[in-house]
Amino acid sequence: MTHRLVRAERLFNRFSDGIGVFSAVLLLLLVLNVFYDVVMRYLFNDVSIGMQELEWHLFSMVFLFGVAYTLKADGHVRVDVIYERLSVKRRAVIDILGTVLFIWPFCFLVAYYGIGFAYEAYDISEMSGDPGGLPYRWIIKGMISLSFICVLISSIGFILRAVNEYFGLQQAHQYETFKP
Amino acid sequence: MVGIIMFFVALLLLLLGFPVAFTFGGVALVFGVFAEGWDLFAFMPFRIFNIMQNVVLMAVPLFIFMGIVLQKTQLAEQLLESMARLFGTMRGGLAVSTILVGALLAASTGVVGASVVAMGVISLPVMLKYGYNRSLASGSICGAGTLGQIIPPSIILIILGDVLGLPVGDLFQAAVIPGVALVGLYVVYVLVYAYARPESAPAVPFEDDEAGRMRHYVSALKAIIPPLLLIVVVLGSIFAGIATPTESSALGGVGAVLLSVLYRKFSWSMLYESALETVKVTAMVFAILLGATAFSMTFTYTGGDLLVEEFLLQLPGEKWGFLIFSMLIILILGFFIDFVEISFIVVPILAPIAEALGISMLWFAILIAMNLQTSFLTPPFGFSLFYLKGVAPPQVSTLDIYRGVLPFILMQVSIVVSILVFPQLFGLD
Amino acid sequence: DKGPETAQQTVEKKVVHKIKLAETWPPNFPIFGDATKSLKAMVETMSEGRLEITIDAQNKHKAPLGIFDMVKAGQYDMGHSASYYWKGKDPNTLFFTSMPFGMTAPEQYAWFYYGGGMELMAKVYDKHGLLSFPGGNTSNQMGGWFQKEINSLDDLQGLKMRIPGFAGEVFAKVGAKPTNIPAGELYTALERRTIDALEWVGPSLDLRMGFHKIAPYYYTGWHEPATELQFLINKRKWDQLPADLQEILRVAMRAVAYDMYAHSYHLSAENWATIQNDYPNIKIKTFPQEVLDAMRKANDELLAERAANDPLAKEIIDSQAAYLAKARAWTNISDKAYLNSVGN
Ligand code: NA
Ligand code: NA
């Protein structure tokens, strides 16, 4: 029977995977969006500022939400000069302390101040200042807080994994990011 | 003072192996909150939003997507292997091909993150497969990827143009010869290295008889053309005015997918996996940028920029002394702070002195740009090193990468020195 | 005889008030950045060190277009920027920089200080808890760099031009295609003809971008006859300042604004001389009457739409129109008649 901490970790990981799928879809939309804009401008001499603005809306959401998924996938780069020589337990301790001391306060502060940032845009109905630009700036501004909250949620899975590895509840993961 | 202490603390903590991005962010938070209070972080959403609106950075996900599709469909491998086969029995062909492809990519983007990661994805697995020395492989990729900064279009040159009041076009033009010289030097280095240490950069094998050789060259050329054409199309779309440099990277992504269809290597799962992989690598790059912006926020708001300014006022006031010292200072600062900060804090202080000494501003700008390029490669905070590490397979360690870039740093420094001593060789007199 | 100062007054004099100012521009930006530096020097001297200003440029706060929000929230006490940047936040901020076919700099200063402009600007900014003051004028901006000549309205159809804001709306209405291009890619985009035209500022700042090397036609202006920058101040901070420091700041801002106008004029003249001497191939053009008439009509229609939707917008538009009519009559018989009669 799987330990409940391991099951909890899997639950959080499923959330992070979902965020990954969401970002991947946004990325494909971004590629299409830019391609469409180039084709329309060059072949049909048509330019839409709204579509041009949509590009950076999509682009920024890809990397903002990607951070949560990448944390789960352990894709955030580490300097492994010492890390690679450490035991599984020590690595787990570093990940636990790092999450509590670095990730949590950082994400919490950004998410917290991001709310006021987005609310201000909502309060005055901020929109694009350019002809044909997109309305509702608060939505994209709100993505800052939302994505950092996602990192917070994902980081619970990250810390649970470290805890589970520390207590030997599951096999240590290979810290690696890219399998060719 | 807070800023300086923070650097060394960050340096030590980075060694523990917790992700770089969060170490930057966390250290910035501790020092920032300690020195300035919680409200310092009210600036973070503004800084993040500024990165979100920086469309030039869109080249990062778009180029990475192109690279990953090419890699997943084996088209990249085919391109590099075939290019390397054109070298015949000469060793080091894969690394030279990597540098040449890197130079082409560099000519279509000015964002280092985009080219280093794309090159890492495309060529590191291939070089490892053929038994290349890990350091040589990493060094060539970081060196080639960082070329994006000196070969136009380039963000450094655009910023320097702005800071020094020089037309961007003049700078772009002036950077071409030094950039090409650097590529040439890289190639010569790799060939010499491979000649001296055969086991570190083996040739890609092929049948070595008269008939086989001919067949081999023909098939190699055939295999090169489509993927190379894709990269040329990306470049060409900029020159033909079809797309801006940033947009051209999306054409590259769509082109790579079309190629995969053409070669019957397309599948929806390939597309989905490429997108997911792109998200992961993109987020790795941007998390570092987000952590770094918190770091530079704490650095400047605790007076770090003033410290740098004061330090600079002690420069010697005579032409050669000034030039040598300013180059050294930029090189040293490049170990710690990023090129945008250097361009905005240091260069405006140096520029009027240089002007008063009758130094050609164009020459000075190219010297600085070359020098700043090095900052991407210098440990501990060279971003190219992080980016490559982020996409490298686990057997490539941080130390392999540090060792690998060392000769490339030396080559960049030697080019800076040559431009300093023989500007006429680079068309800069 | 003023008599001895009270203890209260002595303490009041020794208190040093600090103002943190954020500017939209990069550090050491010519003309615009000089304005804030001279504000700082002036204020600190006049107040004998009781009012200190620190200036944070774009490289420090990293939010060139976040000035409005940061000053509103009190993260900075003061900003140096331009009012029309905030038109997406509050449409009525548009009117306090420069309007197409609008007033020239002297006319606009007259409107601000004596024609009710300041009061209207206060009305717009008050609800955001902000004060806004004129922050320096670039003088007449040029119409932009074009790859092809504009001989008729047809030539504007589908013309891809980087021209942001309200002028972009006017341009769109006559059939052109306003296009967003990041500043860093403008040069390449114009050179490779990804876009057909762009507008920047004028000789004082265009020359350093190098556009004169890649586009043959330089059109005279119509859309920003008198671009006025802006000093923004957080109202709570302003209210905390003693009356004499408020007055020092107010006077310094006014002096700095007018000084920047003179400075821009001077550097534009110098750069224009450079253009004439060093780049005689640049063709200076003015849009044909047909095009200008169409743009003016589009401009009037867009303004009418705004006036119909918002009573405060109507009040400002009417005030500017009435003042322009009055001031221009005088300009015509004074400056214009003078320039016409002396003929150089
Ligand atoms: Na480049
Ligand atoms: Na560095």
Side-chain angles (χ1 to χ4, degrees):
Chain A
M1 157 118 186
T2 325
H3 194 279
R4 63 170 189 274
L5 279 179
V6 175
R7 275 183 288 147
E9 180 199 328
R10 285 183 193 153
L11 186 71
F12 282 101
N13 286 351
R14 267 208 297 281
F15 169 83
S16 308
D17 285 334
I19 299 287
V21 175
F22 174 63
S23 306
V25 171
L26 291 180
L27 174 87
L28 292 174
L29 290 176
L30 168 67
V31 175
L32 286 179
N33 187 172
V34 180
F35 183 69
Y36 172 87
D37 287 348
V38 172
V39 169
M40 289 308 283
R41 189 184 58 224
Y42 190 72
L43 295 182
F44 302 97
N45 220 34
D46 195 9
V47 181
S48 154
I49 301 246
M51 285 297 281
Q52 287 193 317
E53 289 185 352
L54 192 60
E55 290 177 6
W56 66 259
H57 280 60
L58 290 170
F59 148 70
S60 56
M61 284 166 69
V62 166
F63 76 76
L64 282 175
F65 288 98
V67 174
Y69 168 71
T70 305
L71 183 63
K72 177 256 156 188
D74 208 4
H76 289 296
V77 59
R78 305 168 182 265
V79 175
D80 59 1
V81 179
I82 294 173
Y83 192 77
E84 67 177 355
R85 296 191 176 83
L86 296 180
S87 66
V88 170
K89 283 203 170 197
R90 289 214 167 136
R91 286 185 191 173
V93 170
I94 286 175
D95 280 357
I96 292 168
L97 288 179
T99 307
V100 174
L101 297 176
F102 290 166
I103 297 186
W104 285 353
F106 186 79
C107 292
F108 175 79
L109 277 188
V110 174
Y112 171 77
Y113 285 109
I115 292 171
F117 181 72
Y119 178 78
E120 173 64 23
Y122 174 79
D123 191 40
I124 60 177
S125 314
E126 183 177 357
M127 52 181 284
S128 166
D130 285 322
L134 298 178
Y136 310 124
R137 267 294 130 84
W138 64 270
I139 297 179
I140 190 67
K141 288 189 166 181
M143 292 304 148
I144 296 177
S145 288
L146 197 61
S147 63
F148 275 78
I149 290 170
C150 287
V151 180
L152 277 174
I153 297 173
S154 175
S155 73
I156 300 174
F158 185 73
I159 204 169
L160 281 174
R161 189 186 62 200
V163 168
N164 292 337
E165 283 174 4
Y166 185 87
F167 291 111
L169 298 177
Q170 67 179 353
Q171 218 191 345
H173 73 292
Q174 278 279 312
Y175 79 96
E176 64 178 271
T177 59
F178 192 82
K179 285 194 215 82
Chain B
M1 233 17 234
V2 176
I4 310 256
I5 300 168
M6 182 175 74
F7 269 116
F8 288 99
V9 171
L11 185 56
L12 284 175
L13 288 174
L14 275 181
L15 288 176
L16 290 179
F18 196 66
V20 172
F22 299 112
T23 307
F24 276 145
V27 171
L29 179 136
V30 172
F31 279 84
V33 169
F34 170 75
E36 298 280 301
W38 299 104
D39 281 347
L40 178 63
F41 268 68
F43 290 115
M44 275 305 286
F46 290 96
R47 299 175 86 88
I48 295 173
F49 196 59
N50 195 39
I51 295 175
M52 291 162 68
Q53 286 182 292
N54 188 345
V55 267
V56 175
L57 292 177
M58 223 155 59
V60 175
L62 295 173
F63 257 120
I64 294 172
F65 178 71
M66 174 181 82
I68 290 180
V69 171
L70 287 178
Q71 188 261 335
K72 278 209 186 296
T73 52
Q74 272 114 37
L75 287 165
E77 194 174 336
Q78 190 183 316
L79 166 71
L80 289 172
E81 282 174 358
S82 310
M83 274 179 88
R85 286 207 178 93
L86 291 181
F87 286 81
T89 50
M90 209 154 89
R91 290 181 291 267
L94 271 179
V96 173
S97 309
T98 296
I99 290 168
L100 295 180
V101 172
L104 280 178
L105 275 190
S108 53
T109 181
V111 184
V112 165
S115 43
V116 168
V117 173
M119 287 314 296
V121 168
I122 289 175
S123 66
L124 190 54
V126 186
M127 282 196 270
L128 293 178
K129 176 177 143 194
Y130 283 96
Y132 264 59
N133 173 296
R134 293 194 295 266
S135 291
L136 177 67
S138 329
S140 351
I141 292 170
C142 285
T146 308
L147 285 171
Q149 216 34 290
I150 192 72
I151 296 180
S154 135
I155 293 184
I156 283 190
L157 292 175
I158 289 168
I159 293 179
L160 284 177
D162 198 26
V163 172
L164 294 171
L166 293 169
V168 179
D170 295 9
L171 280 172
F172 279 8
Q173 229 166 6
V176 172
I177 300 178
V180 170
L182 197 55
V183 176
L185 192 59
Y186 288 174
V187 169
V188 169
Y189 165 76
V190 167
L191 291 178
V192 170
Y193 187 101
Y195 180 79
R197 297 180 57 188
E199 75 290 349
S200 63
V204 173
F206 67 101
E207 317 108 85
D208 197 10
D209 57 82
E210 272 311 312
R213 189 168 293 176
M214 208 46 227
R215 240 186 305 120
H216 145 80
Y217 281 127
V218 172
S219 73
L221 272 175
K222 263 193 201 157
I224 289 173
I225 289 167
L228 200 60
L229 202 64
L230 171 66
I231 293 173
V232 172
V233 163
V234 169
L235 258 182
S237 68
I238 303 172
F239 284 100
I242 296 171
T244 65
T246 305
E247 292 168 338
S248 77
S249 49
L251 300 187
V254 172
V257 174
L258 288 181
L259 267 189
S260 77
V261 173
L262 217 66
Y263 279 76
R264 304 183 184 289
K265 286 187 170 153
F266 177 85
S267 69
W268 289 105
S269 69
M270 183 279 293
L271 187 67
Y272 167 73
E273 279 162 27
S274 301
L276 198 61
E277 208 60 72
T278 305
V279 165
K280 186 159 69 175
V281 180
T282 301
M284 181 271 292
V285 170
F286 279 88
I288 294 179
L289 291 182
L290 295 177
T293 196
F295 202 75
S296 85
M297 175 177 78
T298 299
F299 180 74
T300 51
Y301 279 94
T302 55
D305 50 347
L306 298 178
L307 222 66
V308 172
E309 280 176 22
E310 269 169 37
F311 178 70
L312 283 174
L313 294 176
Q314 295 153 27
L315 281 172
E318 150 284 324
K319 185 178 167 188
W320 285 103
F322 168 80
L323 277 172
I324 291 165
F325 268 93
S326 50
M327 286 303 120
L328 277 177
I329 283 169
I330 291 176
L331 188 68
I332 292 166
L333 283 174
F335 278 80
F336 302 103
I337 56 181
D338 83 277
F339 73 96
V340 180
E341 295 297 335
I342 296 179
S343 309
F344 278 131
I345 300 175
V346 178
V347 176
I349 301 175
L350 300 179
I353 310 177
E355 214 157 12
L357 291 172
I359 293 166
S360 146
M361 289 317 266
L362 202 60
W363 179 47
F364 194 52
I366 296 298
L367 280 170
I368 295 174
M370 267 286 175
N371 197 335
L372 283 177
Q373 187 189 217
T374 311
S375 73
F376 280 91
L377 294 183
T378 43
F381 298 116
F383 281 11
S384 290
L385 312 175
F386 295 141
Y387 296 154
L388 182 63
K389 175 67 184 139
V391 291
Q395 73 261 32
V396 177
S397 72
T398 308
L399 279 179
D400 289 331
I401 298 178
Y402 283 3
R403 269 195 292 269
V405 292
L406 202 66
F408 287 84
I409 294 172
L410 291 178
M411 282 186 270
Q412 294 188 348
V413 171
S414 66
I415 288 275
V416 172
V417 173
S418 336
I419 299 177
L420 204 56
V421 183
F422 309 109
Q424 64 281 7
L425 287 183
F426 299 87
L428 284 165
D429 43 345
Chain C
D1 187 279
K2 284 193 287 181
E5 288 175 327
T6 64
Q8 168 78 39
Q9 280 169 324
T10 318
V11 170
E12 178 63 39
K13 275 209 168 155
K14 274 185 189 151
V15 173
V16 174
H17 293 264
K18 293 188 176 168
I19 285 183
K20 289 183 293 176
L21 181 150
E23 59 188 5
T24 292
W25 342 112
N28 304 298
F29 195 66
I31 309 174
F32 297 17
D34 295 328
T36 47
K37 281 185 188 140
S38 85
L39 179 83
K40 173 185 165 73
M42 227 181 263
V43 161
E44 291 182 357
T45 310
M46 290 198 289
S47 69
E48 294 178 324
R50 287 171 52 232
L51 187 53
E52 282 176 10
I53 298 182
T54 53
I55 302 167
D56 286 356
Q58 191 198 94
N59 72 308
K60 187 153 180 178
H61 55 70
K62 294 270 157 76
L65 298 182
I67 306 287
F68 181 99
D69 287 349
M70 291 191 297
V71 176
K72 184 173 177 181
Q75 288 168 263
Y76 279 99
D77 307 310
M78 202 171 166
H80 191 228
S81 194
S83 189
Y84 62 2
Y85 290 147
W86 324 126
K87 81 195 241 322
K89 298 176 190 288
D90 183 335
N92 290 333
T93 55
L94 167 72
F95 305 108
F96 302 100
T97 306
S98 188
M99 293 301 288
F101 304 103
M103 293 177 266
T104 63
E107 291 166 348
Q108 188 168 270
Y109 275 132
W111 174 70
F112 269 126
Y113 294 127
Y114 299 99
M118 291 301 285
E119 291 75 8
L120 287 166
M121 184 151 70
K123 225 180 204 176
V124 169
Y125 279 91
D126 188 58
K127 64 167 168 287
H128 302 289
L130 292 165
L131 299 171
S132 172
F133 298 86
N137 206 288
T138 66
S139 79
N140 200 333
Q141 297 205 0
M142 291 294 278
W145 299 89
F146 285 68
Q147 290 291 18
K148 62 173 194 176
E149 205 176 336
I150 305 300
N151 292 316
S152 69
L153 213 45
D154 284 345
D155 291 332
L156 274 186
Q157 301 314 303
L159 184 100
K160 288 164 290 195
M161 179 168 186
R162 179 266 177 199
I163 177 163
F166 188 72
E169 279 180 55
V170 175
F171 232 58
K173 220 171 153 76
V174 295
K177 298 286 178 191
T179 307
N180 266 352
I181 299 280
E185 296 193 329
L186 271 180
Y187 183 89
T188 313
L190 183 64
E191 185 192 24
R192 308 309 335 171
R193 303 195 175 205
T194 316
I195 53 173
D196 307 306
L198 59 81
E199 68 86 39
W200 197 241
V201 179
S204 61
L205 291 172
D206 287 13
L207 216 51
R208 54 193 259 130
M209 296 288 285
F211 298 135
H212 54 286
K213 301 201 170 165
I214 48 171
Y217 302 103
Y218 198 18
Y219 272 83
T220 57
W222 61 277
H223 66 302
E224 291 194 38
T227 309
E228 185 69 36
L229 304 184
Q230 160 195 56
F231 286 116
L232 268 178
I233 304 183
N234 179 296
K235 200 165 178 315
R236 270 167 294 147
K237 180 72 184 183
W238 175 262
D239 291 339
Q240 284 164 15
L241 293 178
D244 62 332
L245 292 186
Q246 284 181 348
E247 193 54 25
I248 285 174
L249 193 53
R250 196 201 310 270
V251 169
M253 287 189 295
R254 191 151 164 175
V256 162
Y258 201 77
D259 182 61
M260 192 190 110
Y261 175 42
H263 193 193
S264 300
Y265 217 99
H266 167 66
L267 289 178
S268 295
E270 295 225 308
N271 283 297
W272 174 239
T274 308
I275 288 182
Q276 281 179 307
N277 293 331
D278 299 356
Y279 307 100
N281 291 335
I282 295 174
K283 298 178 186 72
I284 306 297
K285 296 277 171 190
T286 296
F287 291 116
Q289 201 55 46
E290 175 202 11
V291 169
L292 286 167
D293 288 346
M295 292 201 288
R296 185 188 279 273
K297 184 163 163 282
N299 183 65
D300 292 346
E301 284 166 11
L302 284 168
L303 286 179
E305 273 171 40
R306 278 168 187 263
N309 292 333
D310 180 347
L312 182 53
K314 180 171 166 33
E315 196 182 340
I316 302 166
I317 292 166
D318 289 349
S319 163
Q320 287 188 329
Y323 201 84
L324 174 63
K326 198 194 298 175
R328 187 58 52 82
W330 166 240
T331 306
N332 283 341
I333 204 64
S334 58
D335 287 350
K336 195 173 179 184
Y338 168 74
L339 293 174
N340 285 342
S341 60
V342 297
N344 55 1

